[in-house]
Amino acid sequence: MTTILRTPRRRRPIRTVAAVAALGALVALSGCTTEDGDRLATQFREGTGQGYISGDGAYTVIAEADRAEPVTFAGVVESGDTISSDDLLGQVVVVNFWYAACPPCRVEAPDLEAIWQEFEPQGVQFVGVNIRDGLGTAITFAEEFGITYPSILDRDDAAVRLAFAGQVAPNAVPTTLVVDQQGRVAARISGLLTEPSTLRAMIRDTLAEAES
């Protein structure tokens, strides 16, 4: 039976997160390599106010034979319910790492929602992983951008980030992963989703694997 999870609708005041404070979230997400740290420092010195490593938009597709073991994770979403990898087995899952004050996360949010709406009838589940924000900010973001899929609030223990870091480390915010029906990472987009058609193709190809 297909599990469909949606974000609850509640009105909350908009809260802003200082861009510089995002450094702590970035360290937790990526382990902050020396190169990434240098790039972040350069952004700060230049006064861009980004406070994130935007990635290069590169994507990776992993052949079935080369995929690592299934990723096991669990976390609490905005509704207070818990979602786990066990709940999602048998489905293609798109996992997006984000936070509200991340500019490219805001840019790509409408595209992610549109793709979710397109593939939801085929049993594809989208799950956000909010690396920075509390409940109120996460809900406000969902309302502002019309996001209806759930996000795990991963700020406090970084459990979901750690679960994925051992295989395909999300080294930029945002990062979008496509997870196959067995729970293995099949593809990754590092940075802003500049070409929605790329993610659509990744999802279609992963769906087709079960039919081949």
Side-chain angles (χ1 to χ4, degrees), residues 30-42 53:
S30 64
C32 195
T33 65
T34 300
E35 180 181 357
D36 284 347
D38 290 344
R39 289 167 61 193
L40 185 59
T42 299
I53 298 300

Side-chain angles (χ1 to χ4, degrees), residues 70-138:
V71 179
T72 302
F73 66 92
V76 177
V77 300
E78 301 99 328
S79 65
D81 295 330
T82 297
I83 181 174
S84 75
S85 50
D86 289 342
D87 300 327
L88 302 170
L89 284 177
Q91 298 172 252
V92 172
V93 182
V94 175
V95 181
N96 176 255
F97 293 83
W98 69 281
Y99 63 94
C102 157
C105 301
R106 301 173 73 85
V107 170
E108 71 177 12
D111 288 326
L112 290 171
E113 174 64 20
I115 297 171
W116 152 243
Q117 293 290 345
E118 178 181 343
F119 285 96
E120 178 189 6
Q122 300 179 52
V124 175
Q125 177 66 54
F126 275 46
V127 178
V129 179
N130 188 312
I131 70 165
R132 173 70 185 176
D133 304 316
L135 177 62
T137 301

